[in-house]
Amino acid sequence: MTTAVHKGRFAPSPTGRMHLGNVASALVSWLSVKSRGGKWLLRIEDLDPDRSRREHSLIIEDDLRWLGLEWDEGGTDGIGYLGPYSQSERGQIYSEALSKIEAAGLTYKCTCTRAEIMASQAPHESDGRVVYAGTCRPQRLGGSLPNEDERRHGVTRLVVPDREIRFCDKLYGNQSVNLASHCGDFALRRADGVWAYQLAVVIDDALMGVTEVVRGSDLLLSSAQQIYLFGLLGYPAPEFGHVPLICNSRGIRLSKRDQSMSMGELRKQYKPEEIIGMLAGTLGLTSTEKPISAAELATQFSWASMKPGAKIRLEI
Ligand code: GLU
């Protein structure tokens, strides 16, 4: 009997330089698999053609290497045989998977404008989430497949069930999400043909053999959408672990616009061990913020020592 390889992944969108929050996710993902003797995969999530740039993915790779977070598989030029590892090159794979879901009669085309969606959702979600009210959902599902013309128009939405999806996050514990009230029927493909993150991420994690998904806690509840899709496509769901978001001194979640926390600035002022030590102390992985290398931290990593706060304020 062969034992399946334990595999984690980091899946950055190459839309700019990484900030400390992105580094926190990459670090915990790397530590979690390396502490279990597993492999780490790097996937470039460049689905959005307007915002993704190859030069950003090359800089992200350089920053990861500088931090000591080497990957075993994937990357812009793809090490390994489960690629391509850039989502922009995987359209055919997504198209085949979508056809299976369409054939099961679980999708429909939606032509609502953003303004219509905003107007029809009630009440508005306080966290900025948009819940699709199902305006374009046909009365009877399971009808004919969309023809070529219909395929090209409108957003392809997936019908979601009105029931709880349960999972246990490595840091945040038991979660229960009803997709009907959390997001409603969600998009698998944009009207302009661009693949939706939710579809691509599930197909890629399944086909690339990922057993553990670790990323920022802003995506905690998206895991329920993904677990539903893994089931529909007949794949086992991976384990999930989410990492608290890092905020700036004003308590606002870091974005790629926070230049002072971007790797470009951090590399001018700190050594890799200093950045990792600071993050490890802040996340609760170590009791001090003393400099430490990623490799050394892996020998003492445990999810149990991490603090599950929703946000962590870091002042540097
Ligand atoms: N591409 C996403 C991001 O950069 C991460 C998605 C994921 O890890 O599932 O925020």
Side-chain angles (χ1 to χ4, degrees), residues 278-297:
M278 200 151 53
L279 279 173
T282 308
L283 291 165
L285 293 171
T286 49
S287 52
T288 66
E289 295 194 359
K290 277 217 308 263
I292 186 167
S293 71
E296 197 184 337
L297 195 53

Side-chain angles (χ1 to χ4, degrees), residues 9-13 22 43 45 197 201 205 213-216 218-219 226 256:
R9 53 44 155 204
F10 182 51
S13 305
N22 306 127
R43 181 171 67 237
E45 296 209 328
Y197 157 70
V201 78
D205 283 337
V213 167
V214 176
R215 57 191 171 196
D218 51 329
L219 291 168
Q226 294 164 22
K256 290 194 170 147

Side-chain angles (χ1 to χ4, degrees), residues 226-245:
Q226 294 164 22
I227 288 168
Y228 180 58
L229 269 173
F230 277 110
L232 277 186
L233 290 164
Y235 297 120
E239 297 170 18
F240 290 94
H242 289 79
V243 181
L245 300 179

Side-chain angles (χ1 to χ4, degrees), residues 2 6 41 78 90 92 94 96 127 150 204 228:
T2 52
H6 188 65
L41 179 146
R90 297 176 63 81
Q92 187 54 34
Y94 305 143
E96 283 161 24
D127 59 4
E150 284 166 342
D204 290 350
Y228 180 58

